[in-house]
Amino acid sequence: MKKNIEQARERMKASGFKMTPKRLDLLAYLFEANRYVSAREVAEELRLSHPSLSYDTIYRNLNDFAEIEILETTELDGEMKYRAACQSGHHHHHLICRTCGKTETLDVCPMQWVAPIKDSGFEVEDHKFEIYGRCAACQQ
């Protein structure tokens, strides 16, 4: 986890952000959680150690960190969720539990099966593929 936070710190510095104790705690929580969480969940956790921390500050930092690709985002049940960006170093997608936010890596990319796009003249710049369901633990 320390390596991941150090990489995040370097990316923040390169993007003009300072690493404050609150931001460090936010990142530590997200890297430790290793699942998608809402801004509300982050606020509940961080207010234990930072009672004056506002929801707006948390939300702004989450969005800033997503913008510089420290965090990944997804929408679950109409709410934006955040997780520490994968450090796998290879292209992959995720299976995401709708109940607990846990993710599992899916090492298959569906773009290989989307041949009609190549023939349409459309230039794909990026893509995101997620499968939602319930993990084994949440099914019980």
Side-chain angles (χ1 to χ4, degrees):
M1 181 170 82
K2 286 186 179 190
K3 179 182 176 188
N4 294 337
I5 291 176
E6 189 55 41
Q7 288 174 339
R9 182 189 308 255
E10 289 173 20
R11 182 163 286 184
M12 287 174 61
K13 185 177 178 181
S15 300
F17 292 95
K18 292 181 181 176
M19 180 59 86
T20 65
K22 291 176 186 177
R23 287 179 172 159
L24 182 61
D25 287 349
L26 184 145
L27 289 174
Y29 172 70
L30 289 164
F31 279 107
E32 190 174 304
N34 197 29
R35 63 183 179 88
Y36 279 102
V37 296
S38 67
R40 181 181 31 78
E41 289 175 85
V42 173
E44 289 170 6
E45 179 65 27
L46 293 184
R47 283 194 181 132
L48 298 173
S49 56
H50 303 283
S52 65
L53 188 59
S54 75
Y55 181 80
D56 288 342
T57 298
I58 291 168
Y59 190 74
R60 184 177 55 254
N61 277 282
L62 290 170
N63 284 312
D64 287 345
F65 293 168
E67 213 171 281
I68 62 173
E69 298 178 350
I70 292 173
L71 302 180
E72 297 175 1
T73 63
T74 194
E75 188 175 319
L76 291 172
D77 300 323
E79 184 177 24
M80 190 61 72
K81 304 275 183 142
Y82 305 84
R83 71 169 293 221
C86 291
Q87 305 296 317
S88 67
H90 70 280
H91 181 77
H92 65 278
H93 298 283
H94 295 114
L95 303 173
I96 303 169
C97 179
R98 287 187 181 273
T99 304
C100 70
K102 177 184 171 190
T103 63
E104 291 187 34
T105 299
L106 180 63
D107 286 319
V108 175
C109 180
M111 291 302 288
Q112 64 189 0
W113 300 305
V114 192
I117 290 177
K118 293 177 185 174
D119 300 333
S120 73
F122 184 83
E123 182 180 340
V124 176
E125 295 176 349
D126 197 8
H127 68 278
K128 185 175 184 178
F129 182 74
E130 299 171 335
I131 298 175
Y132 302 97
R134 289 187 308 150
C135 69
C138 290
Q139 290 178 43
Q140 298 177 15

